[in-house]
Amino acid sequence: MRFTSASSTSGFSRTPHPAASSTSSLSRRRLLARAGALTAWGATSALAPTARASAAPTPPAGPVRLELPRPTGPFPLGVTELHLVERTRRGPWWAGDAAGELRELMVSVWYPADRATAEDGPPAPYMREGAAAVFGAGAAKILQVDREAVDWSRFRTHARVGVPAVSRAGCAPVVLYSPGMYNERTLDTTAAEELASHGYVVVTVDPVHEAHAVEFPDGRVVGPAPGLAAVGAGADRSRAALEVRVADIPFVLDQLAVLARGGNPDAGRRPLPRGLGEALDLARTGMFGHSLGGMTTAEAMRVDRRIRAGANLDGPLGYDWTDPELLLPVARTGLDRPFLQMGAWLAAPSGRLPHTHEHSESWRAMWRNSTGWKRDLWTEAAEHNSFTDYQTILPGVAERLTLPSGLLSRMTGTVDPARFTVSRRAYLTAFFDQHLRGRHRPLLDGPSPLHPDVRFVG
């Protein structure tokens, strides 16, 4: 979702939280377009139940510097990036001049690091400086704060750049991540770090020419191609973007196979972390995504059986949120492998409904046609962006700066941010533990008093 216009959309219209609908003249579609401007700029420095307190924020002494919640697993973290170029495919047909160029991607690889050298590399930034600059200019307008109010370039994650990977060969299952429409691969670093801290290699994939700021090693910052917005109706735009994303995933898996064999798939042959390729266990590959990324996950599973388990975080399984005639192919065929759905709310012609297989036509079709393991989890107090880093970003910023009225509840609902972040990470980790590692996780069997916001629908 772009900075340049509040009317730029993901094609997915959603209904705002009831408490906010009477105070905002923005449609949900415009709100999500504005929300996209906040995609990649950090997370809360103090995740706590007080994050939604109504008291005036404490004025910061200097620019706000934010920190993601710490991962809970036993492994220290490393991260590297790969610039991937597909020699047999061109850019998206809607990408202007790039349609005649080779398809190129940027991915980040988060991994469990070798303890002995885990502190040897520099702290990893949430974004490269060029992308952060593009983001900061737009975010300042949306948040209605000075550009210097948040120190985007100094924001850091819990990983170190390029440190050696854990030394056990073939120990790490691989999980891919796809973000929502117009969003960067950084949008769920909270979950990527959590999974990596528990021994997974997590590969986050940027949708180049769709995401609003992707920076390449040569300093280029590539934004969304105007041709995508010109495609027309939201369903057509979603279809156009999804087709490109789904074609990207098998290529990424092929390049990870090169890495696992001891090769270097980076286009510039930049040095790779020692032991990273050896650590990969591509026989145990999963995927998760938010919104359009959830659609990408489901469709990629349909076309590539290397993906053994997938999770959809509040994404429709149709090109339109509610039209039963516009279902994705995967919703019509179903899946024979494990698939987890986590949802918030669905804007339907009849009103605002829980986004579950009991109310969503596309989720219902997927549920009915799938023969593999499946779960449907619903959180009443959440909103669409609760399933991203926004759930931790916005409350932390709101503690230090005055944000537009109602922004917090419209984007992330009224769920306790710290508690739901714990829950979301716990269910994702349990899901991949059970279906990639073969470890039964009772958390997936039914409701837990430790996660009171999450309801089991099936």
Side-chain angles (χ1 to χ4, degrees):
M1 303 176 187
R2 283 173 265 181
F3 308 151
T4 53
S5 171
S7 62
S8 301
T9 77
S10 68
F12 300 148
S13 178
R14 301 295 298 267
T15 299
H17 191 277
S21 60
S22 63
T23 61
S24 172
S25 60
L26 290 172
S27 70
R28 180 61 172 174
R29 179 171 291 184
R30 286 191 170 193
L31 176 62
L32 289 181
R34 290 190 172 189
L38 306 176
T39 296
W41 53 271
T44 180
S45 58
L47 280 177
T50 57
R52 295 190 181 274
S54 59
T58 302
V64 175
R65 296 175 181 176
L66 305 172
E67 182 181 359
L68 290 168
R70 286 194 171 277
T72 65
F75 290 99
L77 303 181
V79 66
T80 192
E81 65 176 22
L82 298 174
H83 175 202
L84 304 177
V85 177
E86 187 168 4
R87 304 291 176 182
T88 60
R89 188 162 66 106
R90 301 289 171 175
W93 61 265
W94 38 261
D97 291 343
E101 300 170 355
L102 296 178
R103 177 63 172 165
E104 56 181 343
L105 298 172
M106 288 298 297
V107 307
S108 290
V109 184
W110 303 81
Y111 56 91
D114 189 318
R115 295 183 189 281
T117 52
E119 300 297 320
D120 287 359
Y126 195 68
M127 297 180 72
R128 281 175 164 261
E129 289 188 5
V134 172
F135 167 80
K141 295 177 183 178
I142 303 306
L143 296 179
Q144 299 177 21
V145 299
D146 294 336
R147 289 187 62 171
E148 296 77 22
V150 178
D151 190 350
W152 319 113
S153 63
R154 298 292 294 275
F155 175 65
R156 293 292 180 262
T157 67
H158 298 101
R160 298 281 180 148
V161 176
V163 295
V166 65
S167 58
R168 288 176 293 153
C171 67
V174 176
V175 176
L176 278 65
Y177 169 72
S178 181
M181 193 165 190
Y182 294 117
N183 294 148
E184 296 86 353
R185 67 187 189 270
T186 54
L187 185 57
D188 207 353
T189 299
T190 300
E193 288 197 328
E194 178 71 4
L195 287 166
S197 79
H198 286 276
Y200 292 88
V201 171
V202 183
V203 181
T204 60
V205 184
D206 256 333
V208 179
H209 299 299
E210 176 201 317
H212 67 256
V214 180
E215 185 170 354
F216 286 88
D218 60 6
R220 287 176 297 142
V221 177
V222 176
L228 181 58
V231 167
D236 293 336
R237 192 177 310 129
S238 298
R239 187 192 302 268
L242 182 64
E243 288 174 349
V244 175
R245 287 184 179 222
V246 173
D248 288 340
I249 299 304
F251 170 65
V252 171
L253 289 173
D254 290 344
Q255 299 311 293
L256 293 176
V258 171
L259 179 59
R261 292 194 299 266
N264 185 348
D266 185 77
R269 296 299 186 265
R270 292 174 296 169
L272 298 174
R274 189 179 72 239
L276 179 58
E278 295 174 10
L280 302 179
D281 182 357
L282 290 170
R284 297 184 292 172
T285 295
M287 185 171 176
F288 73 107
H290 171 250
S291 196
L292 186 69
M295 298 165 64
T296 304
T297 298
E299 276 293 296
M301 289 185 70
R302 181 181 67 84
V303 301
D304 196 324
R305 295 194 62 83
R306 288 177 291 183
I307 306 171
R308 291 179 49 183
N312 171 24
L313 308 182
D314 208 37
L317 293 174
Y319 299 109
D320 180 87
W321 280 91
T322 58
D323 191 336
E325 300 302 317
L326 294 175
L327 299 180
L328 300 185
V330 70
R332 300 183 186 279
T333 63
L335 290 170
D336 60 359
R337 282 151 288 154
F339 199 68
L340 171 68
Q341 308 240 71
M342 299 182 71
W345 290 93
L346 175 69
S350 59
R352 182 178 159 92
L353 300 171
H355 195 194
T356 71
H357 75 276
E358 293 180 345
H359 297 92
S360 164
E361 293 284 356
S362 64
W363 282 31
R364 180 181 297 118
M366 179 74 158
W367 187 270
R368 180 179 62 247
N369 294 326
S370 293
T371 58
W373 184 100
K374 53 196 173 189
R375 287 289 183 275
D376 185 349
L377 307 180
W378 179 57
T379 300
E380 181 178 8
E383 288 290 343
H384 190 53
N385 287 293
S386 295
F387 300 91
T388 70
D389 284 345
Y390 289 132
Q391 186 65 77
T392 61
I393 293 169
L394 290 180
V397 174
E399 290 181 341
R400 307 293 301 280
L401 303 172
T402 301
L403 301 184
S405 176
L407 179 68
L408 216 57
S409 62
R410 288 193 296 271
M411 286 188 64
T412 58
T414 58
V415 69
D416 180 273
R419 189 173 65 207
F420 188 62
T421 296
V422 169
S423 296
R424 194 171 69 85
R425 296 196 304 184
Y427 281 103
L428 277 174
T429 303
F431 172 73
F432 289 119
D433 277 354
Q434 181 158 312
H435 297 294
L436 297 184
R437 286 180 159 147
R439 302 173 182 172
H440 176 245
R441 292 299 188 230
L443 181 62
L444 300 174
D445 294 341
S448 168
L450 298 176
H451 305 286
D453 303 300
V454 178
R455 301 185 185 181
F456 276 63
V457 180

